[in-house]
Amino acid sequence: MLYKAYELQRSWLNSVSTVASLSSELLSSPSNPWSKTTIGAMSANAFDVLAHSTAAYGKPAFGITEVAIDGKTHSVIESTVLNRPFGDLKRFRVEGVDIVDGEATARRPKLLIAAPMSGHFATLLRGTVERMLESCEVYITDWADAKTVPVHEGSFDLDDYIDYLIEFLEYIAAQSGTERTKPARPHMMAVCQPSVPAFAATALLNQHDSPASPDTLTMMGGPIDTRESPTTVNDHAMNRPIEWFRQSVIATVPMQYRGAGRKVYPGFMQLSAFMSMNLQSHMMSHYEMFKHLTLGDEESAQATKDFYDEYRAVCDMTAEFYLQTVEEVFQKHSIPNGEFRHKGEIVDLAGITHTALLAVEGERDDISGIGQTKAALKLTPNLAEDKKKYLLAEGAGHYGIFNGSRWRTKVAPVVEEFIAAHS
């Protein structure tokens, strides 16, 4: 019933969005005498905001076509290099740098960005990819919307997420050499929730002395130990037993989708939870959008629209992945307690001796509190201290540590320097 109720609401809101959009166009039409009045213009802008806030959004495109490096603009080539049922591996190469005269080069570090599987598409990290392309050949995990994955493809849980990361790292490592150079180890960056599986995958690869062990792992706003500075998100996960989550927030995908019958944690529920945490802020953002439109500041209004186009494009995650994450990460604290197992094998964090670790946290992060990511540095006793680094991004919230001006000018340079130092 949960999903059906949502589909009914979505259909109604789509109708509202269509009517509001038509009303905005009518009121702003040059042939309409009311468009030249203050009340007409303000009404058109109000309908524009309403149309945008009630529209439904599908999976966005990355749309990265070029990047500036050392003052020169280069074309970016996007491709999918591995296809898997629950997520693909995408690669972004820069023409003239990663590819010269049609031939791949091995000149720049190869970075795998582990995108969160937390209700949004990997395109939420578009700004992260774009900025890192200035110094790295970038790969990213492009997770599938669980409601589009047929039931016959099987399940996908936290263990499978780790397996995907290991497979992707092995692929990148195998592709990193040329006829003239030996293969180089890849680098990995995990943004928010995937810090946990990325940390575990790194430990397993180090334990087995794999050539795919990343040279560096950057964890950004990740819930490694949620007992440190617990947030509202952490409290919500801790205050209810796992059975409550199983009964209250898990839904069945309806028949109109390819994944019909699959049990999922719907993306619309995750979005509702995030929106309600900062409802006043989101309302003010739309009010500011209205003011920008009224003042004729189309650029600022469009920036807000672009953000919400991405933020409100949500996808479902499998029930088994969601429930296992809640239980192991937020309730049992299996990683910091040294009890986390990957398919029966204890993940020994003390086995990390090769991969250098960078922990990045936001001063104003209300999703992963200060100290939660930094805890990873304490959990690796056999890793040399000169291979550990911590960055507290002053003034940055959760989103700001991987997107926006603070990310581009304050955080990304530190990440680049760290990768260069440990390649």
Side-chain angles (χ1 to χ4, degrees):
M1 290 299 295
L2 182 65
Y3 226 119
K4 291 180 180 178
Y6 165 71
E7 290 294 330
L8 286 172
Q9 180 195 54
R10 190 166 70 102
S11 298
W12 179 76
L13 287 176
N14 280 342
S15 300
V16 171
S17 179
T18 301
V19 172
S21 180
L22 291 172
S23 300
S24 178
E25 291 180 14
L26 178 63
L27 286 168
S28 59
S29 173
S31 60
N32 185 347
W34 281 93
S35 67
K36 300 176 178 62
T37 66
T38 300
I39 190 170
M42 292 182 66
S43 298
N45 293 334
F47 277 120
D48 189 7
V49 172
L50 177 61
H52 181 267
S53 63
T54 53
Y57 299 95
K59 182 179 180 179
F62 277 97
I64 303 173
T65 58
E66 59 184 31
V67 64
I69 302 175
D70 297 329
K72 296 181 180 180
T73 300
H74 299 266
S75 297
V76 174
I77 301 172
E78 173 187 335
S79 60
T80 299
V81 294
L82 283 179
N83 290 105
R84 295 294 178 265
F86 291 92
D88 299 332
L89 178 63
K90 279 192 172 292
R91 178 173 62 197
F92 294 84
R93 282 180 161 181
V94 179
E95 188 73 51
V97 181
D98 296 319
I99 303 175
V100 178
D101 296 329
E103 294 292 328
T105 72
R107 293 163 52 189
R108 303 203 302 166
K110 299 183 187 300
L111 174 66
L112 171 62
I113 299 179
M117 185 180 279
S118 55
H120 285 100
F121 292 100
T123 49
L124 188 69
L125 305 187
R126 183 185 294 105
T128 318
V129 173
E130 195 168 25
R131 178 61 180 82
M132 293 310 298
L133 275 172
E134 295 180 20
S135 58
C136 300
E137 180 179 325
V138 178
Y139 296 74
I140 191 168
T141 58
D142 188 24
W143 301 116
D145 186 345
K147 67 174 173 282
T148 67
V149 183
V151 174
H152 69 75
E153 295 291 357
S155 62
F156 184 91
D157 60 14
L158 191 54
D159 289 336
D160 295 310
Y161 191 119
I162 293 170
D163 286 340
Y164 270 50
L165 289 183
I166 291 174
E167 181 185 4
F168 292 165
L169 286 168
E170 290 174 341
Y171 174 86
I172 296 169
Q175 301 297 314
S176 64
T178 68
E179 292 182 0
R180 300 181 300 275
T181 62
K182 66 178 182 180
R185 293 177 186 266
H187 300 261
M188 182 158 54
M189 173 191 292
V191 179
C192 189
Q193 164 266 324
S195 293
V196 171
F199 197 26
T202 299
L204 290 167
L205 289 168
N206 273 249
Q207 283 175 235
H208 300 146
D209 196 25
S210 169
S213 298
D215 271 341
T216 68
L217 169 61
T218 299
M219 292 169 283
M220 310 177 71
I224 300 299
D225 189 349
T226 59
R227 296 170 298 187
E228 300 283 344
S229 305
T231 64
T232 302
V233 174
N234 307 147
D235 292 339
H236 177 71
M238 282 294 294
N239 291 338
R240 295 176 173 87
I242 195 65
E243 282 305 315
W244 181 90
F245 290 94
R246 196 183 308 277
Q247 298 297 326
S248 303
V249 301
I250 300 302
T252 302
V253 177
M255 292 301 296
Q256 65 262 39
Y257 296 104
R258 293 179 65 233
R262 181 178 294 281
K263 297 291 185 181
V264 297
Y265 175 61
F268 62 80
M269 293 198 67
Q270 184 79 321
L271 178 63
S272 298
F274 281 153
M275 294 285 281
S276 63
M277 284 175 58
N278 297 287
L279 184 59
Q280 184 177 359
S281 174
H282 291 297
M283 292 177 67
M284 284 302 299
S285 292
H286 284 83
Y287 176 61
E288 290 296 325
M289 186 200 305
F290 169 73
K291 289 201 299 183
H292 290 317
L293 289 169
T294 302
L295 294 172
D297 187 357
E298 296 288 343
E299 185 176 348
S300 296
Q302 189 60 47
T304 303
K305 287 183 178 181
D306 291 343
F307 171 80
Y308 280 101
D309 285 350
E310 189 71 60
Y311 193 72
R312 295 179 60 235
V314 295
C315 59
D316 298 349
M317 63 190 93
T318 62
E320 55 272 17
F321 172 82
Y322 173 77
L323 293 171
Q324 188 182 2
T325 300
V326 169
E327 188 171 25
E328 297 292 339
V329 177
F330 296 97
Q331 295 187 345
K332 293 183 177 180
H333 310 290
S334 298
I335 284 282
N337 286 335
E339 300 170 351
F340 185 76
R341 291 179 178 271
H342 172 255
K343 296 185 174 178
E345 178 184 2
I346 280 286
V347 176
D348 183 11
L349 300 176
I352 297 180
T353 56
H354 169 79
T355 304
L357 302 179
L358 169 60
V360 180
E361 296 181 332
E363 183 184 23
R364 298 180 180 177
D365 194 335
D366 57 355
I367 294 178
S368 293
I370 294 177
Q372 293 188 10
T373 313
K374 187 180 181 180
L377 306 182
K378 302 176 184 177
L379 296 170
T380 49
N382 294 330
L383 183 65
E385 288 301 314
D386 62 359
K387 288 192 172 186
K388 299 178 183 180
K389 188 176 180 65
Y390 173 68
L391 172 65
L392 179 65
E394 295 182 1
H398 187 72
Y399 191 78
I401 58 177
F402 62 88
N403 235 324
S405 59
R406 284 191 179 89
W407 150 250
R408 291 191 298 271
T409 61
K410 302 296 184 182
V411 179
V414 175
V415 177
E416 289 173 326
E417 180 183 334
F418 189 74
I419 288 175
H422 297 283
S423 290

